[in-house]
Amino acid sequence: MRKIFFIFILFFSAAKIILGQISPGPLSELHKQLEGISNCTQCHSIGSKVPNQKCLACHKEIQSLINKRRGYHVSTLVKSKSCIECHNEHHGRRFDLIRFDDTNFDHTLAGYKLQGKHKTLKCRDCHKPKNIANSRIRKVKETYLGMGQACLSCHDDYHQGTLDKTCTKCHNLNAWDPALKFDHKNTKFKLKGAHQKVDCLKCHKKTTKNNQDYQEFSGISHSNCTSCHKDQHQGSFGKNCKECHNENSWVNLNSGIQFDHSKADFQLLGMHRKVDCRKCHTSGHYTTAIDFSHCKNCHKDYHKGQFKAENPSSDCQDCHTVQSPFTFTLFGPEEHEKNDFKLEGSHLATPCFACHVKEKRWEFKGIGSACVDCHKDIHKDKIDEQYYPDQDCTQCHNRETWSQVNFDHSKTDWNLEGPHLTASCKSCHFKASEDSDTIIQQFNSLESDCITCHTNKHGDQFAENGKTDCTKCHSVNQKWKPDKFNHSETLFPLTGKHKDLQCQSCHKAEVQKDNNKGIDYKIKKFKCIDCHSS
């Protein structure tokens, strides 16, 4: 029995020596299933080292990458090496076959250069099972294989397949949001005018889709403005908004537009056709309702309520028309007949502004109806009030011809007779001042002596007490002939042939005092020889 046990011990020791010579040590945890003499040729070739083909026969995922010239194993640093230079075996179960400094690893060698935010990530932030598409590789613990280079191989597709899967066409790896590389010019709807200033969320609403956050970027209708904007006109003007509006500003209508205002409630006529839309549509929105029941709702009341008290419901159209500017009026003589001041005589030919423009402004109420309300009273304080009560010009003048005076002079103490009846008032009551620059009126202070108005050709020949009374000799009815003069009452009564003589035969012109030529009627010599030669 002891002999058998010794033989067994000897055999076991010999086998251990032989096995030790064949296998230098235990395989790592990942290759432990390959231990045993029968499995040596799975990795080794008899008489040579471990060839790469043996490794790649099992590690097909790496062979696939090499075939595609992708990944770390085709980099200049690795491709010339054999597999066992980096991944040698028989160092025990706990030996780590994949050894490299992941802190200082140059990711460019793996065919994917880390940029932007990727530079700050730890390896396992990306290299984790859920990011590996291949189910077989996903089961391999702590592998760095099986990662795709597309953004969506690691990141969720926020757009859920509605946009291009190449995220970097729009997004920047340094700052994912907003999409700085996105250019709306490359879409079917190019942003113009005011659209360039609109917040993206105004058009691209945030919502949920498939129970996930989602923002609409595709499938948004833009065939017409009403796809996004409310039709303020409610279809009254059709659906082609661009006929009137443009993208620069919705309230800025296209230049040269011929909008058919008859489609609106207020038809444009006359002067309204030339008015800029914004003059009436002051709110900035052409759809805001405008109360156009009265002109004064849009136009400033130039007359400041002068016509309200008389007719509260009156409006500008009572006197004005849209066919002409406000300076034109329908109010004429016929309409003037209906108010308190009827136009008569010269007033019919007087322009409106002559009476109604006060201090550069048109006035119609409270302007007065008396002559002096419009006309300057040149007789003020010149004529006694008894002939001129309340400054009533019509006591003398009439509206037909202002220069025609119909004053009854018999009311005064000097009744008009003879040629005085046809003489103009001015010839007696107006005279130029000594400097001829002003006119002096004489009514109350005018004397009734003839010489007040007429030149005294006789000087002081007939003066009595310093005053000459022409009417002793002259009559106004006989064209100033001395028909009242009686020569018989003089010192030389006319007799014989003297009766038939003309006055100037005896009363010849002589130089009188003060160098004024005049006729001498006070002859002091009455002998025949004084007039007749011997």
Side-chain angles (χ1 to χ4, degrees):
M1 187 66 173
R2 293 178 62 187
K3 184 177 181 180
I4 295 172
F5 178 74
F6 176 77
I7 295 172
F8 174 78
I9 293 297
L10 181 63
F11 174 78
F12 180 78
S13 299
K16 188 175 181 180
I17 294 172
I18 295 171
L19 183 61
Q21 291 178 345
I22 296 175
S23 175
L27 295 176
S28 66
E29 184 68 23
L30 293 175
H31 288 155
K32 66 181 181 179
Q33 74 277 9
L34 297 176
E35 282 191 342
I37 297 175
S38 61
N39 291 322
C40 293
T41 56
Q42 293 285 338
C43 299
H44 296 274
S45 292
I46 298 174
S48 65
K49 296 181 179 180
V50 177
N52 289 344
Q53 290 79 7
K54 291 282 186 177
C55 297
L56 295 176
C58 280
H59 296 282
K60 293 182 173 59
E61 66 278 5
I62 295 178
Q63 179 66 68
S64 176
L65 288 172
I66 293 174
N67 293 339
K68 296 176 182 178
R69 297 183 181 278
R70 288 177 50 194
Y72 177 67
H73 293 90
V74 296
S75 65
T76 55
L77 182 66
V78 179
K79 67 178 181 179
S80 61
K81 295 181 179 181
S82 63
C83 299
I84 61 171
E85 288 186 51
C86 298
H87 309 291
N88 51 25
E89 262 289 5
H90 296 290
H91 299 293
R93 290 283 190 268
R94 296 182 180 180
F95 183 72
D96 188 3
L97 288 175
I98 305 172
R99 304 184 310 280
F100 64 92
D101 184 1
D102 55 4
T103 302
N104 299 310
F105 178 67
D106 184 2
H107 213 282
T108 306
L109 296 173
Y112 186 81
K113 184 179 180 179
L114 297 181
Q115 303 178 61
K117 294 292 185 180
H118 287 150
K119 291 181 179 180
T120 62
L121 297 176
K122 295 179 180 179
C123 299
R124 291 304 175 188
D125 289 338
C126 296
H127 294 278
K128 50 190 176 183
K130 77 169 190 176
N131 293 337
I132 300 174
N134 190 302
S135 59
R136 188 176 66 84
I137 300 176
R138 191 185 306 131
K139 295 177 182 179
V140 178
K141 293 181 179 181
E142 299 183 355
T143 182
Y144 288 94
L145 299 175
M147 295 291 294
Q149 295 188 1
C151 300
L152 298 182
S153 64
C154 291
H155 301 279
D156 293 333
D157 183 6
Y158 178 76
H159 304 298
Q160 299 190 38
T162 58
L163 298 180
D164 194 315
K165 292 184 179 182
T166 307
C167 305
T168 52
K169 285 185 176 180
C170 299
H171 295 278
N172 187 306
L173 295 177
N174 292 311
W176 199 254
D177 187 20
L180 298 176
K181 296 170 68 177
F182 173 75
D183 190 345
H184 225 287
K185 293 180 181 179
N186 299 325
T187 69
K188 294 180 180 179
F189 187 81
K190 296 175 177 58
L191 298 182
K192 300 177 182 177
H195 280 142
Q196 294 177 335
K197 302 177 182 179
V198 176
D199 189 329
C200 303
L201 287 173
K202 289 287 186 180
C203 300
H204 302 285
K205 306 293 184 183
K206 283 188 175 182
T207 180
T208 58
K209 182 178 181 181
N210 299 324
N211 296 322
Q212 295 180 5
D213 291 340
Y214 176 72
Q215 188 172 3
E216 298 175 343
F217 287 102
S218 64
I220 297 177
S221 177
H222 53 80
S223 58
N224 210 319
C225 302
T226 53
S227 299
C228 294
H229 300 278
K230 181 181 178 181
D231 182 6
Q232 299 289 346
H233 306 299
Q234 299 180 356
S236 301
F237 307 124
K239 294 184 178 181
N240 188 8
C241 307
K242 293 181 180 179
E243 286 184 355
C244 300
H245 302 278
N246 60 70
E247 294 175 84
N248 292 322
S249 174
W250 199 249
V251 297
N252 182 18
L253 298 182
N254 296 330
S255 59
I257 180 177
Q258 298 296 324
F259 174 69
D260 186 2
H261 219 281
S262 63
K263 294 180 179 179
D265 295 332
F266 186 79
Q267 186 174 359
L268 296 183
L269 301 172
M271 302 297 292
H272 282 149
R273 292 180 179 271
K274 302 177 182 179
V275 177
D276 189 325
C277 305
R278 288 166 290 188
K279 290 287 186 180
C280 299
H281 298 278
T282 56
S283 67
H285 297 281
Y286 294 100
T287 55
T288 302
I290 297 176
D291 181 5
F292 48 82
S293 57
H294 289 81
C295 303
K296 60 189 176 184
N297 293 339
C298 290
H299 299 278
K300 184 179 180 181
D301 181 10
Y302 177 85
H303 304 300
K304 296 183 177 180
Q306 292 185 54
F307 300 106
K308 283 183 179 179
E310 184 176 338
N311 184 6
S313 63
S314 65
D315 199 17
C316 307
Q317 59 188 357
D318 293 342
C319 298
H320 301 280
T321 172
V322 296
Q323 303 299 336
S324 304
F326 272 116
T327 52
F328 173 83
T329 177
L330 298 172
F331 193 91
E334 292 184 6
E335 287 73 23
H336 225 291
E337 287 292 321
K338 299 175 183 178
N339 62 26
D340 297 335
F341 189 84
K342 296 177 175 56
L343 297 181
E344 298 174 345
S346 298
H347 283 149
L348 286 168
T350 302
C352 304
F353 64 81
C355 298
H356 292 288
V357 175
K358 304 292 184 181
E359 297 180 357
K360 297 183 179 181
R361 178 176 176 79
W362 287 82
E363 299 291 346
F364 293 90
K365 296 292 182 179
I367 64 173
S369 57
C371 301
V372 293
D373 290 327
C374 289
H375 303 279
K376 183 179 179 181
D377 181 9
I378 64 172
H379 302 309
K380 187 176 182 180
D381 301 327
K382 305 295 183 183
I383 300 178
D384 195 290
E385 189 177 356
Q386 64 175 316
Y387 308 118
Y388 184 46
D390 300 322
Q391 293 180 283
D392 184 6
C393 303
T394 59
Q395 294 291 323
C396 299
H397 300 277
N398 63 71
R399 293 186 177 93
E400 298 294 334
T401 305
W402 198 251
S403 61
Q404 181 181 344
V405 178
N406 298 317
F407 178 69
D408 184 2
H409 224 281
S410 64
K411 295 179 179 180
T412 69
D413 58 0
W414 204 78
N415 192 26
L416 297 180
E417 296 176 337
H420 284 149
L421 290 170
T422 59
S424 68
C425 303
K426 289 183 178 180
S427 61
C428 297
H429 295 286
F430 292 82
K431 69 175 184 178
S433 62
E434 293 181 0
D435 56 11
S436 299
D437 290 335
T438 58
I439 300 296
I440 299 175
Q441 294 186 59
Q442 292 180 316
F443 287 95
N444 295 335
S445 61
L446 184 62
E447 298 291 339
S448 58
D449 295 335
C450 299
I451 61 174
T452 301
C453 294
H454 303 281
T455 302
N456 184 3
K457 293 183 179 181
H458 306 308
D460 295 331
Q461 294 181 65
F462 303 105
E464 295 179 3
N465 298 322
K467 189 175 182 179
T468 301
D469 184 4
C470 303
T471 59
K472 284 186 175 183
C473 298
H474 297 278
S475 171
V476 294
N477 295 321
Q478 299 298 325
K479 296 184 179 180
W480 212 244
K481 290 182 179 181
D483 53 332
K484 295 171 67 175
F485 176 71
N486 187 357
H487 222 286
S488 298
E489 297 177 356
T490 67
L491 297 175
F492 189 78
L494 297 180
T495 58
K497 292 291 186 180
H498 284 149
K499 291 182 179 180
D500 300 327
L501 292 176
Q502 296 292 326
C503 299
Q504 59 266 29
S505 297
C506 298
H507 300 283
K508 297 180 180 180
E510 293 182 0
V511 176
Q512 300 293 324
K513 61 180 179 179
D514 300 328
N515 291 326
N516 290 323
K517 288 184 178 182
I519 299 175
D520 185 9
Y521 287 100
K522 295 287 187 176
I523 299 175
K524 296 179 175 61
K525 296 179 181 181
F526 306 114
K527 294 180 180 182
C528 298
I529 195 170
D530 292 331
C531 292
H532 303 280
S533 59
S534 57

